[in-house]
Amino acid sequence: MILWIQQSKAAARDEFQEELVIRPLHSGDIYASFQFRTLWDTDFLQEGQKVSHYRLFPKSLGQVLSKFSVRELHISFTQGFWRTMQWGQPFIPSPPGAELWVWFHDTVSDVDGNWKELTNVLSGIFCASLNFIDLTNTVQPSASFKPLGLGNATDHRFLRYATLPREIVCTENLTPWKKLLPCGSKAGLAVLMKSEKLFHSSFHSQAVHIRPICQDEQCSSKAWELRQTLNVVFDLHTSGQGKKEWSLFKMFSRTLTEACPLASSSKVYVDITDNPELSPATPLLGQAVVLGDRRTYSVYDLSRAETFGQLRSFNLLLRWKGDSDMLRPLLHAERYVAGFGLQTGEIHTVIYNNHPYRAFPVLLMDSVPWYLQLYIHTLTVTSKSRDNKPSYIHYQPAKDRHRPHLLEMLIQLPPHSMTEVTVQFERALLKWTEYTPDPNHGFYVGSSVVSALVPSMVAMRTNFTQDQPLFSSFVPVKEESSYFVRVYTEPLLVNLPTPDFSMPYNVICLTCTVVAVGYGSFYNLLTRTFQVDEPSPPLSKRLANLIRRMRGVPLLT
Amino acid sequence: MAAPLTLLLIVAVTIRAVLFRSSWAELISERVEVVSPLNAWKRVVEGLALLDLGVSPYSGDVFHEVSLSLIHFLFKSILGSDGITAVALYLSIQTYNKNVFRKQKYALESDRYPADCLELLRSPKEMFYIPLKVAMFYLLNPFTILSCVAKSTCGLNNAIIALFILCTLKGSALLSGILLALATYQSIYPLTLFAPALLFFLQRLYIPVNLRRSSFWFFTLQYAFIYVGSLVVITGLSFFLLGSWDFIPSVYGFIFSVPDLTPNIGLFWYFFAEMFEHFRLFFICVFQINVFFYTIPLSIKLKEHPVFLIFMQIAIISIFKSYPTVGDVALYMAFLPAWSHLYRFLRNIFLVSCVLLACSALFPVLWHLWIYAGSANSNFYYAITLLFNFGQILLVSDYFYAYLRREHHLTHGLYLKKKDGTEATLVLK
């Protein structure tokens, strides 16, 4: 028994890292981003090898990966909308509601079947209603969601993307998410995640990203990487009582007491580029280039006992004042519905390029449900009030009740400009059973996704080092001069014309009545002939005639 | 008669051109009463745009027309299709009137009419202006003008049907079969016009309609062969044009299964919007059979009067088809001057015209209240739809009643007396 444990300890090289990044925002809010990274060292890509060792990697997710031949899985649950212009770019962007995109292995024969089962299983794991994901809201983007991990497969038949903008995130989703962590919510940074404070925020997003990665530069061994991220923005006024003074206790109503014993590294990074007051002080400083900006961080290493001080509790205090200039995000997008009435409308997507002199292309992906019939001949793209023709358009029209519209375009954004993409649509009348229980609330249209390689003012690091902070290594950096940004627009809420739901029986009766009137008139005219109307004899005469007929005597006239 | 017709055409073209250039054109082409998912011009343009993007126009659910290239080629003639229809109707009614007058002359000479129904007979003076009135009824009908300004392909369909009627009345079986195949290819319902055309040719060639006679079958098979053959050829051609059979479920499957519930002036949309899923297939079958099943009984009753049968069939198609528009209504209304001699036997004409006028005025009002003002709901628009269709049914059955009654009087005499000598009333028994 002991020998077996020792052997398994030698063989497994699973690793767990946790970090928390705290960034004071320009508007007085504070942004906290947790990242938990579990590396699962296993020969998963070998066929026929059943995996049975689960050390740090959660078993439920491991079984999901092997059963459905998943190569990459990205799922996020977000409450609130990320305000790019006020808060800058997030480390991990996510759209409001639930978003799930999965790359399957190319050995899968029935991708749709796997997708359906996968969504149902994930719905159980995360206690979310992901079972509402079906073929009517799943698309296969051809260019927007390239794999973030290993592998250079570009056959988008193995990619599925779905989003549920109506999904609400609450404690029931947080609890199973926390259970996936090796230490659970008992030790390490996860003790800070208390739902009563986390959900009392402007923005809350929890995500799970699974992908295969190389463990070293030469890529001699591969491993599964599981990143669990939780981004939360606490509002200055609702949580902060109007003072630009934050502490871990104020944000999370908890302080840190110890690092997770299973973690190989457990750090807290605080962004001090704008020179806030920070206590307790720390000698450790770090610099990282993230999202095209070189920022300075104070680093607190929780694996060192002196971080916790004499009280064995670590509470950070952060204070800043003054209005420093926020770096304007270079890429920003908005979306809204124009028009009036319940018959037609127009979707406007506005993309801003705030770079002073560089133009760059962006990939815009729009997935519109089938009941808003898009008219692609009305698509106009204008930049600086001139027509801007996209160089690549991939459009898959919707099929009623089968699949949604998918529009992907590569648009070149001129420097320092606003580009507007408009497309007209018509609203369909649905069958009365297809409306949600509250039909006048409206129907949600998922966020548009704008993906781009934005030119960076600062050189990015392309070499791969182990001690890079997690928040800067999420997206692989392929070249020095640009960084990858994904911006999600607002989801839309569109009203559809509704029939009267109390009327099915009445409608059937009335319409059948009109058809019957037609039938009746024609029947009369076709089967009857014109006859002279002889008045019918009075009753006495008729009775007398009846008796006479029985007697065989001639009738009265 | 060419000069008044030309003048009429010029006036009609002027009205359409004026409306076309104004800002009303875009408003009219969006109206659900005038365009339907089957014949909207916006969808044709969308189909062309999809083809430009390299996507098959039938892969989505937006385009439901056949033969894209044909439509594209005939685009210019959509605007002139009204003129073609009017001229075709003019010539057909002229031919028909000549036929009617000739038959009447022979019947008079052979003393087939009772003595007192001389006032029911038609005179050339009365019939002289009927073709012009028919053309006028079609060209200056507001429904037709709206349909033309919206560039709905219904105008094309009407033109093909009108040409088919012309060729039938002129006696050319080949052309009539080909045109009927073209009309059926565009929307399936003109299939029911096969029976009246067949009856007309049999009457013209003096072949008795007797199922036991071989001459009847011989001609029927000939005509059916021309019709089915041209249909197969046209369908095959469109397969080769687009390279796939996608258009069959997209067009014909769409017409029959009614998946799109956009409101229109017909009976289908709200019925199937409120239908219990369990009964949907059953009621689709019932409603579609309803369009086709009046053909045989009507053909039996009206076998001596194929042109009136054509009118009845076109009316039934316009009322009961799955996506009717006002352009379809305008086609059968154009025939009404041809039956102006039936006026004295019409029972409900005042009520019917009031209902139709009121409904036509209320359609845009209640649509606006439902969709834009939000103060009414779909029931209001549905009620007007019901009333409009009820009015149309009443109109058609009224004319049918009047026609049958006149025929009865022509055989039995106009002033009928009861057994005791007093004035009789006629009833249907």
Side-chain angles (χ1 to χ4, degrees), chain A residues 74 130 193 224 227 255 291 434 458 472 523 525:
Chain A
H74 301 267
L130 297 174
M193 295 187 204
W224 281 113
R227 283 202 193 214
T255 57
L291 298 169
E434 288 174 345
V458 177
S472 60
Y523 177 80
L525 291 165

Side-chain angles (χ1 to χ4, degrees), chain A residues 340-344 373-378 393 395-401 403 424-433 497-512 514-515 517-535, chain B residues 30 32 42-43 45-46 49-50 53 55 58-62 259-261 267 269-277 280 283 287 290 293-294 297-298 301 312 316 367 370-372 377-379 382 386 389-390 393 396-397 400-401 404-405 408 417-419 424-429:
Chain A
F340 62 96
L342 294 175
Q343 191 180 3
T344 53
Q373 289 145 355
L374 289 184
Y375 285 94
I376 204 70
H377 70 273
T378 56
I393 299 185
Y395 177 61
Q396 196 186 46
K399 215 142 176 77
D400 275 6
R401 301 179 178 91
R403 58 163 199 253
Q424 279 181 17
F425 64 88
E426 254 181 31
R427 304 171 206 228
L429 186 73
L430 305 176
K431 298 182 200 166
W432 70 301
T433 47
T498 59
D500 189 346
F501 297 100
S502 60
M503 290 276 284
Y505 184 68
N506 302 352
V507 167
I508 295 174
C509 285
L510 288 168
T511 311
C512 290
V514 172
V515 173
V517 162
Y519 174 79
S521 330
F522 287 128
Y523 177 80
N524 270 349
L525 291 165
L526 287 168
T527 53
R528 297 183 188 196
T529 51
F530 286 101
Q531 286 169 24
V532 175
D533 182 26
E534 298 289 342
Chain B
E30 299 256 305
V32 289
K42 192 172 179 187
R43 290 178 182 245
V45 176
E46 178 69 10
L50 283 174
L53 279 174
V55 179
Y58 300 110
S59 60
D61 249 334
V62 98
D260 189 320
L261 298 170
L267 296 164
W269 64 278
Y270 206 53
F271 190 68
F272 290 106
E274 300 271 15
M275 174 55 58
F276 300 103
E277 272 310 304
R280 205 185 138 79
F283 277 106
F287 271 53
N290 189 42
F293 112 118
Y294 291 112
L298 275 174
K301 185 85 180 180
M312 290 289 294
I316 287 171
W367 178 259
W370 173 27
I371 298 289
Y372 294 101
N377 65 4
S378 48
N379 290 336
Y382 166 65
L386 281 182
N389 285 306
F390 181 73
I393 291 171
V396 173
S397 60
F400 193 25
Y401 171 86
L404 289 177
R405 181 143 171 199
H408 184 264
K417 293 199 176 358
K418 286 198 280 221
K419 288 205 188 92
T425 45
L426 267 186
V427 289
L428 279 171
K429 273 219 186 85

Side-chain angles (χ1 to χ4, degrees), chain B residues 333-373:
Chain B
M333 279 197 173
F335 281 90
L336 295 181
W339 327 118
S340 51
H341 58 282
L342 298 173
Y343 181 74
R344 61 187 293 170
F345 299 116
L346 291 172
R347 292 179 298 175
N348 303 319
I349 197 65
F350 176 66
L351 176 71
V352 164
S353 31
C354 286
V355 164
L356 290 176
L357 273 173
C359 289
S360 314
L362 279 173
F363 269 125
V365 171
L366 291 170
W367 178 259
H368 177 87
L369 280 181
W370 173 27
I371 298 289
Y372 294 101

Side-chain angles (χ1 to χ4, degrees), chain B residues 54-109:
Chain B
V55 179
S56 159
Y58 300 110
S59 60
D61 249 334
V62 98
F63 184 69
H64 299 286
E65 283 279 356
V66 285
S67 187
L68 190 64
S69 350
L70 187 68
I71 306 271
H72 189 57
F73 171 69
L74 290 174
F75 163 62
K76 292 290 182 285
S77 65
I78 282 183
L79 300 169
S81 61
D82 273 358
I84 297 172
T85 315
V87 170
L89 285 176
Y90 177 91
L91 293 171
S92 3
I93 296 295
Q94 218 175 34
T95 318
Y96 173 62
N97 280 350
K98 285 197 190 116
N99 278 353
V100 161
F101 190 67
R102 208 181 36 178
K103 276 205 209 119
Q104 197 176 257
K105 204 167 69 146
Y106 291 153
L108 256 181
E109 279 168 9

Side-chain angles (χ1 to χ4, degrees), chain B residues 7 166 196 261 272 297 342 399 414:
Chain B
L7 182 64
L166 177 64
L261 298 170
F272 290 106
L342 298 173
Y399 268 92
L414 184 55

Side-chain angles (χ1 to χ4, degrees), chain A residues 208-263:
Chain A
V208 169
H209 301 274
I210 304 177
R211 57 183 176 172
I213 57 157
C214 294
Q215 282 195 314
D216 49 21
E217 283 251 14
Q218 295 82 22
C219 217
S220 52
S221 69
K222 305 184 179 79
W224 281 113
E225 181 196 68
L226 163 68
R227 283 202 193 214
Q228 287 178 258
T229 64
L230 191 132
N231 292 343
V232 61
V233 174
F234 292 102
D235 186 57
L236 171 68
H237 298 285
T238 50
S239 308
Q241 289 119 34
K243 287 189 280 198
K244 287 187 188 173
E245 188 184 304
W246 292 94
S247 70
L248 279 183
F249 191 77
K250 193 173 177 188
M251 291 196 277
F252 302 107
S253 71
R254 285 284 186 288
T255 57
L256 290 167
T257 48
E258 57 164 341
C260 175
L262 297 169

Side-chain angles (χ1 to χ4, degrees), chain A residues 79-105:
Chain A
Q79 177 86 351
F81 181 67
W82 182 268
R83 301 182 194 287
T84 314
M85 291 310 274
Q86 288 166 302
W87 301 338
Q89 297 278 8
F91 294 124
I92 319 271
S94 52
E99 187 203 33
L100 171 66
W101 56 283
V102 174
W103 274 96
F104 289 93
H105 279 301

Side-chain angles (χ1 to χ4, degrees), chain A residues 117-297:
Chain A
E117 284 186 43
L118 175 66
T119 50
N120 280 297
V121 166
L122 287 175
S123 161
I125 293 177
F126 291 104
C127 291
S129 35
L130 297 174
N131 52 326
F132 283 127
I133 294 178
D134 55 12
L135 289 174
T136 60
N137 48 20
T138 308
V139 288
Q140 301 176 33
S142 64
S144 295
F145 284 91
K146 292 288 179 222
L148 286 176
L150 275 187
N152 46 5
T154 49
D155 189 355
H156 63 275
R157 285 182 299 132
F158 297 101
L159 168 65
R160 292 290 184 275
Y161 174 85
T163 168
L164 291 173
R166 212 183 164 134
E167 188 69 15
I168 300 176
V169 189
C170 56
T171 317
E172 270 147 27
N173 307 115
L174 184 62
T175 316
W177 187 92
K178 282 195 288 190
K179 280 212 191 113
L180 296 173
L181 296 169
C183 281
S185 50
K186 299 193 175 58
L189 291 171
V191 299
L192 293 177
M193 295 187 204
K194 292 295 163 201
S195 32
E196 62 266 12
K197 279 291 190 171
L198 277 183
F199 289 104
H200 192 65
S201 57
S202 307
F203 179 82
H204 169 96
S205 168
Q206 62 201 50
V208 169
H209 301 274
I210 304 177
R211 57 183 176 172
I213 57 157
C214 294
Q215 282 195 314
D216 49 21
E217 283 251 14
Q218 295 82 22
C219 217
S220 52
S221 69
K222 305 184 179 79
W224 281 113
E225 181 196 68
L226 163 68
R227 283 202 193 214
Q228 287 178 258
T229 64
L230 191 132
N231 292 343
V232 61
V233 174
F234 292 102
D235 186 57
L236 171 68
H237 298 285
T238 50
S239 308
Q241 289 119 34
K243 287 189 280 198
K244 287 187 188 173
E245 188 184 304
W246 292 94
S247 70
L248 279 183
F249 191 77
K250 193 173 177 188
M251 291 196 277
F252 302 107
S253 71
R254 285 284 186 288
T255 57
L256 290 167
T257 48
E258 57 164 341
C260 175
L262 297 169
S264 62
S265 105
S266 176
K267 295 201 168 86
V268 175
Y269 293 85
V270 182
D271 189 332
I272 55 169
T273 322
D274 298 322
N275 295 316
E277 264 180 52
L278 190 59
S279 83
T282 173
L284 292 170
L285 285 176
Q287 273 209 339
V289 181
V290 62
L291 298 169
D293 195 16
R294 183 176 297 280
R295 317 247 348 148
T296 318
Y297 293 89

